[in-house]
Amino acid sequence: MKEGLHPENYRPVVFKDMSNGDMFLSRSTCKTTDTVIFEGEEYPVVKLEISSTSHPFYTGKSKLVDTAGRVDKFMSRYARSRK
């Protein structure tokens, strides 16, 4: 690879999915102060809310998030309209 192509802070970083705890190692320039032990070595860690291991599109599992009963309200209206 060409010298000087990547920034100086391009380094191995662990990305951690906070919804299921899954972690994977990649290279990144993300700024972070947190660290984690991954496969016996300490790496900087970037915490993610969702990744391909927990996203419904990739897993095929649907998850409804109920916000103040809105899902139940919609389901009851939808059930009435189907009759």
Side-chain angles (χ1 to χ4, degrees):
M1 199 178 309
K2 263 186 178 176
E3 284 295 317
L5 185 64
H6 293 291
E8 288 190 27
N9 63 340
Y10 188 66
R11 68 206 185 287
V13 175
V14 171
F15 290 89
K16 182 175 182 178
D17 185 336
M18 299 308 288
S19 65
N20 63 6
D22 190 45
M23 295 189 291
F24 61 92
L25 182 65
S26 185
R27 295 182 64 85
S28 178
T29 60
C30 292
K31 294 179 182 178
T32 182
T33 57
D34 299 332
T35 60
V36 69
I37 303 294
F38 182 73
E39 296 179 351
E41 294 201 28
E42 187 173 6
Y43 295 102
V45 64
V46 175
K47 297 175 182 175
L48 306 171
E49 290 182 30
I50 195 164
S51 71
S52 61
T53 60
S54 62
H55 193 281
F57 179 80
Y58 297 105
T59 61
K61 297 178 183 173
S62 177
K63 184 166 98 174
L64 294 175
V65 177
D66 191 7
T67 308
R70 292 181 186 172
V71 173
D72 293 332
K73 194 177 197 181
F74 171 79
M75 292 301 213
S76 66
R77 275 191 274 145
Y78 179 72
R80 284 188 301 219
S81 69
R82 292 200 69 188
K83 291 181 180 180

